[in-house]
Amino acid sequence: MTWVSLIFAGLFEVVGVMGMSMVNRERTVRSYLILVAGFGLSFALLSYAMTGIAMGTAYAVWTGIGTVGSTVVGMFLYGESKDRMRLLCIAVIVCSVIGLKLLG
C-alpha cells in the first residue's frame, strides 16, 4: 500500500505544479486551492509512504514521478518542446524509478 500512496504522492505533486502555473496566469481562489491541495496531499502521501519505504528511495521515486509528470503535462497542455533529447531524459528517469522499485 505504501507504493500506491507514493505513486499518488507523485501525481499530486504534478497537480500542485499545475496549480502553481495557474497562479502565475491568474491569481484566483481556485488556483490557490489547487496549488495548496495538490502539494498538501502530495506531502501527506509521501509521509505515509516513508513508513514502509526507505526515505532515499521514496524521495527519489516521488521526485521522479513529479519531474516526469510535470514535463509531460507541460508538453501536452502548455505547448512545451517535445524534443527527442527531452524524451530520452524522461525515459531515463522512468527506467531509474522502475529500477529503484525492483531493487527496493
Side-chain angles (χ1 to χ4, degrees):
M1 190 64 179
T2 53
W3 279 99
V4 172
S5 69
L6 182 58
I7 290 168
F8 278 102
L11 294 175
F12 278 112
E13 182 185 9
V14 175
V15 171
V17 171
M18 290 173 68
M20 216 185 305
S21 177
M22 291 172 70
V23 166
N24 282 331
R25 285 183 280 121
E26 56 181 349
R27 297 181 186 272
T28 63
V29 172
R30 180 176 178 262
S31 303
Y32 282 106
L33 284 175
I34 291 171
L35 175 117
V36 171
F39 283 126
L41 286 167
S42 179
F43 285 124
L45 290 167
L46 175 62
S47 177
Y48 172 73
M50 286 203 277
T51 62
I53 302 170
M55 182 213 38
T57 301
Y59 184 73
V61 170
W62 178 69
T63 57
I65 293 169
T67 301
V68 169
S70 298
T71 304
V72 170
V73 166
M75 288 177 178
F76 289 101
L77 294 184
Y78 302 113
E80 294 178 5
S81 169
K82 295 179 185 103
D83 181 71
R84 287 183 185 178
M85 288 306 292
R86 285 186 91 188
L87 296 174
L88 175 64
C89 291
I90 288 171
V92 169
I93 294 170
V94 169
C95 289
S96 299
V97 167
I98 291 170
L100 285 171
K101 165 61 174 132
L102 294 177
L103 297 174

